[in-house]
Amino acid sequence: MTVGRIIKTPDCVAEGADWLAEACPRMAWAMEQTGPLPLRRRPDGFAQLLSAIVSQQVSVASANAIWKRMQDAKLTGPRKIMWATDDDLRAAGLSRQKIRYARALAEARIDYKALRDVPDAEVVATLTEVSGIGVWTAEIYAMFSLGRADVIAPGDLALQEAARILYDLPKRPTDKELRQMAEAWSPWRSVAARVLWAYYRVAKEREGIR
């Protein structure tokens, strides 16, 4: 298998958005409500995965506050995490569990450059070998840090809720159900995710993703 389309610029997002609007009237309607979609490209590497761990199971506002404290304390690199005491990391806002996850990530010695050139499934498989990195975190990394165009994170609650509202579903779709729905959005599933997050912000008047 090869690496598929990479989202590098706003034009890439716009191309995917046009495809989705043509393929699905509800996606087209959602984009009328949201306006242009954000690029959401991020750097790759250790700090981005550490930031994703920080974001797990807390609100966007809480995650932003904790991450700022970690940046201020210069606790965003693997060696700094290894050298820091538990008290240092707790002071930045990490729970005992997230301290363990942060240290596991620092010890994993992932070859981040090599991940740029492997298929989506291999990215997810490699990252999820690390304690504390689940499929959601790995898929978010593939989407935003590696720019993969055809990845979605169906375990994301904001995506599930946005899909429920947009498609007038009787209940929020499960991870498995949303993954099946998303097959219709291939090869632009990560742009469909951007649509759903943007629509979530409109429908719920709050952010669904950092």
Side-chain angles (χ1 to χ4, degrees), residues 50-123:
L50 181 62
S51 175
I53 287 171
V54 166
S55 297
Q56 291 171 3
Q57 298 179 321
V58 297
S59 69
V60 171
S62 294
N64 285 337
I66 295 168
W67 187 243
K68 184 177 187 308
R69 287 201 295 273
M70 293 188 71
Q71 288 178 314
D72 290 345
K74 296 183 169 55
L75 292 171
T76 59
R79 284 182 293 181
K80 292 296 183 79
I81 293 295
M82 295 301 296
W83 294 339
T85 66
D86 284 2
D87 286 344
D88 293 335
L89 296 171
R90 267 196 297 271
L94 293 190
S95 65
R96 181 182 302 174
Q97 184 180 56
K98 287 186 179 179
I99 290 171
R100 190 170 75 249
Y101 293 165
R103 294 199 192 283
L105 179 62
E107 292 169 359
R109 300 182 182 277
I110 294 167
D111 186 343
Y112 294 102
K113 286 187 178 179
L115 287 182
R116 299 172 187 174
D117 301 317
V118 301
D120 302 337
E122 191 174 335
V123 172

Side-chain angles (χ1 to χ4, degrees), residues 133-156:
I133 297 182
V135 173
W136 176 86
T137 301
E139 288 173 331
I140 293 294
Y141 184 86
M143 291 168 65
F144 296 153
S145 291
L146 298 179
R148 302 303 172 89
D150 201 28
V151 174
I152 194 167
D156 187 272

Side-chain angles (χ1 to χ4, degrees), residues 154-168:
D156 187 272
L157 294 181
L159 291 183
Q160 293 173 5
E161 180 65 6
R164 181 190 70 78
I165 299 168
L166 180 60
Y167 288 90
D168 197 24

